[in-house]
Every structure is written in structure tokens, then in C-alpha cells.
Amino acid sequence: MGIAITLEQACAWLREQDDILILTHQNPDGDTLGSAFALYYALRALGKRVRVECSDEFPRKYRFMFPDYQPEAFEERFVVAADIADTQLFGKKLERYSGAVDLCIDHHPSNTFYAAQTYLVADAAATAEAICDVIDGLGVTLDLPMATCIYTGLSTDTGCFRFSNTTAKTLSTASRMVALGVDNAEINLQMFSHKTQSRIAIEREVYNTMEYHFGNRCAVIWMTRAMLEQAGADDAELEGVSAIPTQIEGVEVGVTLREKEGGYKVSLRTSRYINASEICARLGGGGHARAAGCFLAATLEEAKRQVLVLVKQAFDRYDAEQ
Amino acid sequence: MGIAITLEQACAWLREQDDILILTHQNPDGDTLGSAFALYYALRALGKRVRVECSDEFPRKYRFMFPDYQPEAFEERFVVAADIADTQLFGKKLERYSGAVDLCIDHHPSNTFYAAQTYLVADAAATAEAICDVIDGLGVTLDLPMATCIYTGLSTDTGCFRFSNTTAKTLSTASRMVALGVDNAEINLQMFSHKTQSRIAIEREVYNTMEYHFGNRCAVIWMTRAMLEQAGADDAELEGVSAIPTQIEGVEVGVTLREKEGGYKVSLRTSRYINASEICARLGGGGHARAAGCFLAATLEEAKRQVLVLVKQAFDRYDAEQ
């Protein structure tokens, strides 16, 4: 296990190094990429050779942060991990570096200290917040590309400053980035606001199916294959649909049924006190306490009935305990 | 028409006055109420008698900003309007004050200067941003109730710091409020994450009305009074509905028509390049470049037609310039 180091030590290390490889986690998001590329720009400003790598392709959605990026070929002499809490997150392509990280910069309290040295800021909303301090510590003047990366990391990891990880420092850092000219509205539009027409079409269909049960504490939605086809929605566009029922005030259990070959895939979400995983386990599935799933080889009505019987039992047990 | 005054003048006026009535606009939102109550607390801290009024009932959703508020009965000697751009927004109950406002504090560029004096900060994201400066200018130390009101005004008027009106100053002001202990995550949960059953019902209805025009660059939705009644949705639950069309990928202009006594209230939202305020001004309304409104004494079809003609012209002009 490696050691925890301070901001000053992290900056001192980076100042001394050259030919630096910066790693991002698999399924890259705005924070791992924003952090890595902000640091990339800063180290380049110091005249160093730097490269950023990821096990997955950089998603198109995030490329505005590094539109002209061309990886430079060189033999790395110092490896930095940005926003990677655990070696399991390196992904296949970067797996070979998991024991070879010289410096990890992260904000996850669950960081396993797999790197030789870790600069961990566990109360930072995003790794980008820590990277901003690193860039200041390196004596590099923040420019617009760096600020764009940092802002994107902050915004995406906080649900646009909405979640409880957003601190006064997160907001003041974001303020500083916007003062540097970051097009915050455009970034948020790209990151959060947009829904495709087919997503809107599927939401409409799904809203039309919504049923409430057990004193409105359970909401059920469903999607048939015909509905999905008609809306022209692909799997990526269905992301988050199963979160719709539990967004409703007073709904503890949200059930989403989606038609698949031979039956229905069930997604169960719960808000506070019903264990979704226990219910799905009884139907041959599994998952977490607040989000679980199973597959039922049944018609829509029969699948719904099977789930609702167990949801009712769970409510009855909960109510009896109150 | 009244005069525009500076922050210093606004503060000087407020310092001299007592028995102050603060007015909020009809269909009150987080900014008019947050601004009014932040100012209420600050003026009370200076030992003044103050009361806040609204033509509509204060929505339950916003009462966390003033949980113990009891209006004090007194004959007002100074009338302040908070976040009211135009006398049309006073509503029935407060109509009689429309010619009697001593000081208006606002951020709408479309403010009609109906008040004797207006402190207008047209580049502020929310009136609450201007109110924060007023409180500082009055020499009152910000406390948690004031900060909660100001944060709520900022957050609700910017879609949680997402829209293009969010500036470096908006974020630094929000940062200052969070540092004072504002429970930002809980406020945002209440303001943005939860939906009531009637809100879900109205979203479903609205999705069913959605039409696309001009190569899908314009999306139109509408709500009749019958739809709203059936969904059981109150005004507060309709907040943000008019943002739905511009959330759709590729949609530049979002039009929301809402049936009112004698016609339709039109909300126009634009994403990037069409000036919503210009279009609404031609229909007797006003607002901001990205969000504006007007009232049309017409049937649904006729109101839609009138708006779409102008939207088409705006697209044509834009396309010709490209």
C-alpha cells in the first residue's frame, strides 16, 4: 500500500518529472477526463511531454474538452492516475499499469492507496477540484482549456451543483472557471439538458402506462417492444427511465417492466426503506438494496402481479414494524 | 415612468424608511419569494416593521424559507416590489399597488420602470443576486435565513446554475451562501428532484401535445385549463414545464401555451441564437433573450399560429445570415 501525500508534495513531484502518462478510469466520465486533461494542459505549459490514456475510447460527448488532442508517442517515465479509486477501474487496456502508478490524484473516500503516492481530497466534490489546486500549486496560470476541463469535472460530478457533495469551495472554484470565460451554459446543455426526440417519445409512452398501488407508495411503468420500436429508442436512450417512478413524491417502490425475448425484465427501485434486492432475489434476480432486477418469463399482467404480490408483502411487513 | 437608481441610492432609501410592504409577483416562484423574504429579514434586523404580500397564496413548496412568517398588520408607508418586471404581474389582490411602488428591485431587462425608483441589475441571474448586494449595502450581516432565501432565488432562477444566466458572480454568491450553512442539497432536492403525482400527470398530458415544426428546430406544447384541472396541478407544480421543449436535442425554440381567462399565456424559450424577447415583444409581451412571454387573447390554434409565424421569420432571418 502506498502513502498519502500533501498538495505541496504532489506538486513537487510533478514539477520534477517528465514523460508523464496520465490514466483515466474505464467508462470515462466528465471528472476523470476533465481532471486528466486539465493536468495535461498544465504540465504541457511547463514544457513537459504528456499523454492521456483510457481503456475505453474517449466518448464523443466529452471531446470538446480536448478537440485537437493527438497522443504523443513516448516511453512514460512517470504514471499519474486521475480520479481512479481502485485498480479494478483501470479496465483491460490499462490493467498493466495498475501496480505501476507513481501518483494518484483522487477524491473518492474509498481510494485503496494502490499508487506509490496518493493525493486524496476526500471532501472535494470532484477530482477536478483537487486538480485545480495542483495547477495553482505548480504555478501554472489557468487558461480557458484548463478551466473548461475543471468546470466540466465539477459540474458532472455534482449533477450541476445539485448533490450534497457541492461545497462552498466547489461553487467558488466553478465561479473562478466561469470568470475565465468557460461557456458553462453550453457545457451544461450538452451534459444535462438534452434529450433525444425518441427519448421524449418513450417518456411519453411510459407516462401513459403509469399506475399507482398501495396508497400511491408504489408506482409501476412498463415498456413493450412495440412501444420502443415505435419511439425508435435505443438502449442508451433508456438510461434512467427506471428512475422515473421513484422521483414521484411519496413513492417508495418504483417498478419498471420492459419486454424482452420471452418475458419481462423487471427493474425495482426503492427510496428509503424497502429492500429491492430481497424482493428480486425471491424472483430469481438480485442487486442492491435501492436498485435491483430480475427476469420473469411471463406476460405483462402476470409479471406485474408476481412483483406486486411481493411488494405488498414488503409494505405489510414494514407497516407492522412501525 | 420612474427613474433608475444605483445600489447606494436603493440602500439609502431603504435605510430611511419604515413600515415597509414588500410585494412579490403573482404565481410566485423561488426568486420573487427568496428576494422578498431575504430583504424582509434584513430590514427586520434593522428594527423596521415589514410585511410581504402576494396576490396568490405562498406555495407550500417555498414555505421553508419563511416557516414562522406571520404578516404584521400596519399601514404601509413605503412599498417595495421584488422581482416584478411589470404591473401586469401584480395579480388581482395587489393590483391597487401597481401605481404606488416606491422602489422596485429587479433583474429583468424588460422591466417597465413603473415604480418611482428602480434598482435594476439586468445581468444578475436572479433578483436575489441584487438583494444580496442590497443587504450588504445596508450593512446587515447575512444570517442563515437570509442566505437560504438568497440561495433559493439563485438556484431556482438558474435551473440549479445550469442556464446561461449563471455568471461567475452568481456562483460566488451561491458559494458564500453555502459557506453560511445553507442546506443546498436539501433545497435542490425539494426544488428539482421530487415531482408530485399531479406534476407527473401534467407532464404526461403535455408530452401528448408535443408538436415539432421547422425541421424539428421548434417544439410546441400546450395545456388547457381542463387538462390542468384533471391533473390537479397548481401553479407551483407547473414551474419548469416550459423548459421541456428546449431540452430536446436540436430544438432551438420551445413554445408553451397555457390557457388562461380569455386566451393563452405563451412562454418562449430559446437555446442559443433566436431572441425570445424580440418575438414576444411583437406580441405585446417581453422578457429575456432566452426566456420570454406574452398573453394572446385567442384560441389555441390562433395563438399557436401567431407565435409560429414569428418563430418562422426569426429562423428565416437567422438562416439567411449564416
Side-chain angles (χ1 to χ4, degrees):
Chain A
M1 206 175 95
I3 56 162
I5 60 168
T6 65
L7 172 62
E8 291 67 32
Q9 291 173 316
C11 293
W13 263 109
L14 286 167
R15 232 179 267 117
E16 279 171 26
Q17 305 299 327
D18 205 346
D19 295 344
I20 299 169
L21 172 62
I22 304 176
L23 307 177
T24 59
H25 63 67
Q26 65 182 0
N27 302 323
D29 60 12
D31 192 28
T32 197
L33 292 172
S35 296
F37 277 96
L39 186 60
Y40 164 85
Y41 291 130
L43 294 171
R44 297 254 300 182
L46 292 172
K48 300 178 188 297
R49 282 210 291 195
V50 198
R51 193 170 67 232
V52 178
E53 288 194 19
C54 184
S55 273
D56 300 304
E57 215 188 323
F58 297 135
R60 199 160 48 94
K61 183 177 175 183
Y62 299 115
R63 286 192 208 151
F64 69 93
M65 292 192 274
F66 42 92
D68 308 314
Y69 177 65
Q70 294 286 355
E72 207 182 336
F74 58 82
E75 185 74 39
E76 65 274 1
R77 290 189 285 155
F78 194 75
V79 179
V80 179
D83 193 49
I84 312 182
D86 191 336
T87 52
Q88 291 178 348
L89 303 168
F90 278 62
K92 217 169 182 74
K93 207 183 102 192
L94 300 184
E95 197 168 62
R96 66 182 185 283
Y97 292 111
S98 66
V101 176
D102 298 292
L103 170 63
C104 172
I105 303 175
D106 191 21
H107 76 122
H108 294 94
S110 59
N111 189 292
T112 60
F113 289 88
Y114 59 85
Q117 306 164 96
T118 299
Y119 172 49
L120 177 68
V121 188
D123 62 352
T127 295
E129 206 175 300
I131 290 286
C132 184
D133 288 339
V134 168
I135 294 174
D136 287 340
L138 288 171
V140 174
T141 304
L142 277 168
D143 62 11
L144 186 53
M146 295 176 212
T148 297
C149 290
I150 290 169
Y151 181 89
T152 304
L154 294 176
S155 175
T156 52
D157 253 27
T158 57
C160 205
F161 312 104
R162 198 155 111 177
F163 303 152
S164 58
N165 58 347
T166 309
T167 65
K169 182 168 178 178
T170 316
L171 289 162
S172 65
T173 307
S175 169
R176 201 177 144 207
M177 300 308 118
V178 171
L180 284 166
V182 168
D183 194 350
N184 52 329
E186 180 62 25
I187 292 171
N188 293 328
L189 204 64
Q190 298 302 330
M191 297 296 110
F192 300 106
S193 299
H194 277 167
K195 293 180 177 184
T196 59
Q197 280 190 36
S198 35
R199 168 64 183 230
I200 290 280
I202 200 67
E203 284 190 17
R204 182 186 59 213
E205 291 294 320
V206 152
Y207 276 156
N208 285 330
T209 69
M210 193 172 288
E211 289 172 9
Y212 295 95
H213 295 270
F214 316 130
N216 298 332
R217 290 191 294 174
C218 173
V220 181
I221 57 176
W222 45 269
M223 295 170 271
T224 62
R225 287 201 283 187
M227 280 161 59
L228 295 174
E229 252 164 57
Q230 214 198 321
D234 67 18
D235 279 347
E237 286 167 327
L238 295 178
E239 204 180 296
V241 165
S242 55
I244 290 175
T246 44
Q247 275 167 12
I248 304 163
E249 211 170 53
V251 169
E252 168 63 23
V253 178
V255 182
T256 305
L257 299 124
R258 182 178 163 192
E259 190 183 6
K260 290 271 184 186
E261 184 75 44
Y264 279 83
K265 187 175 166 290
V266 178
S267 278
L268 208 69
R269 299 288 186 105
T270 64
S271 294
R272 283 196 288 283
Y273 54 84
I274 299 288
N275 191 315
S277 165
E278 281 177 12
I279 293 173
C280 288
R282 292 186 55 191
L283 297 168
H288 306 277
R290 298 284 157 264
C294 61
F295 179 82
L296 298 174
T299 63
L300 175 63
E301 284 311 313
E302 175 55 21
K304 213 195 292 178
R305 197 195 59 76
Q306 287 184 33
V307 177
L308 289 180
V309 163
L310 295 178
V311 170
K312 183 173 188 313
Q313 286 175 8
F315 274 127
D316 288 347
R317 260 199 313 279
Y318 173 79
D319 291 342
E321 284 162 11
Q322 296 311 297
Chain B
M1 209 175 96
I3 56 163
I5 60 169
T6 64
L7 173 62
E8 291 67 32
Q9 291 171 315
C11 292
W13 264 108
L14 286 168
R15 233 178 267 118
E16 280 171 25
Q17 303 300 327
D18 204 345
D19 295 344
I20 300 170
L21 171 62
I22 304 176
L23 307 178
T24 58
H25 63 65
Q26 66 182 1
N27 302 326
D29 60 11
D31 192 28
T32 196
L33 291 173
S35 296
F37 277 97
L39 187 59
Y40 164 85
Y41 291 129
L43 294 171
R44 297 254 300 183
L46 291 172
K48 300 178 190 298
R49 281 208 294 195
V50 198
R51 194 171 64 233
V52 179
E53 287 193 20
C54 184
S55 272
D56 300 303
E57 217 188 322
F58 298 135
R60 201 158 47 95
K61 183 178 174 184
Y62 298 116
R63 289 194 204 148
F64 70 93
M65 291 192 273
F66 42 92
D68 307 314
Y69 177 67
Q70 294 287 353
E72 206 181 335
F74 58 82
E75 186 72 38
E76 64 274 2
R77 289 189 287 157
F78 194 75
V79 179
V80 179
D83 194 48
I84 312 182
D86 191 336
T87 53
Q88 290 177 350
L89 303 168
F90 279 62
K92 222 170 179 70
K93 208 184 102 191
L94 300 184
E95 197 169 62
R96 67 181 185 282
Y97 292 111
S98 65
V101 175
D102 299 293
L103 171 63
C104 173
I105 304 175
D106 192 20
H107 76 123
H108 295 93
S110 60
N111 189 291
T112 60
F113 290 88
Y114 59 85
Q117 307 164 96
T118 299
Y119 173 48
L120 178 68
V121 187
D123 63 351
T127 295
E129 206 175 300
I131 291 285
C132 185
D133 288 340
V134 168
I135 293 175
D136 286 341
L138 288 170
V140 174
T141 304
L142 277 167
D143 62 12
L144 184 54
M146 295 176 213
T148 298
C149 290
I150 291 169
Y151 181 88
T152 304
L154 295 175
S155 174
T156 53
D157 252 28
T158 57
C160 206
F161 312 104
R162 200 154 109 176
F163 303 151
S164 59
N165 58 348
T166 309
T167 65
K169 181 165 178 180
T170 316
L171 289 162
S172 66
T173 306
S175 169
R176 201 177 144 206
M177 301 307 119
V178 172
L180 285 166
V182 167
D183 193 349
N184 53 328
E186 180 61 27
I187 291 172
N188 293 328
L189 200 65
Q190 297 302 328
M191 295 298 107
F192 300 107
S193 299
H194 274 163
K195 294 180 178 186
T196 59
Q197 279 190 36
S198 33
R199 168 65 183 229
I200 290 281
I202 200 67
E203 283 189 19
R204 181 186 62 213
E205 292 293 319
V206 152
Y207 276 154
N208 286 331
T209 70
M210 194 172 285
E211 287 173 11
Y212 295 95
H213 295 270
F214 316 130
N216 298 334
R217 290 192 294 172
C218 173
V220 181
I221 57 175
W222 45 268
M223 294 170 269
T224 62
R225 287 202 283 187
M227 280 161 62
L228 295 174
E229 252 164 56
Q230 215 199 321
D234 69 18
D235 280 343
E237 287 168 328
L238 296 179
E239 206 179 293
V241 165
S242 54
I244 291 174
T246 42
Q247 279 168 8
I248 305 164
E249 211 169 56
V251 169
E252 168 62 23
V253 178
V255 182
T256 304
L257 299 124
R258 180 177 163 195
E259 191 183 3
K260 290 271 185 185
E261 184 75 43
Y264 279 82
K265 188 174 166 287
V266 178
S267 280
L268 208 70
R269 298 289 186 103
T270 65
S271 292
R272 286 193 198 74
Y273 53 84
I274 299 289
N275 190 316
S277 168
E278 280 176 13
I279 293 174
C280 287
R282 290 187 56 192
L283 296 168
H288 306 279
R290 297 285 157 264
C294 61
F295 179 82
L296 297 174
T299 62
L300 175 63
E301 283 312 312
E302 175 57 21
K304 214 195 290 179
R305 198 195 57 77
Q306 286 184 33
V307 177
L308 290 180
V309 163
L310 295 178
V311 170
K312 183 173 189 312
Q313 286 175 10
F315 275 126
D316 288 347
R317 262 198 312 278
Y318 175 80
D319 291 342
E321 284 162 12
Q322 295 311 297

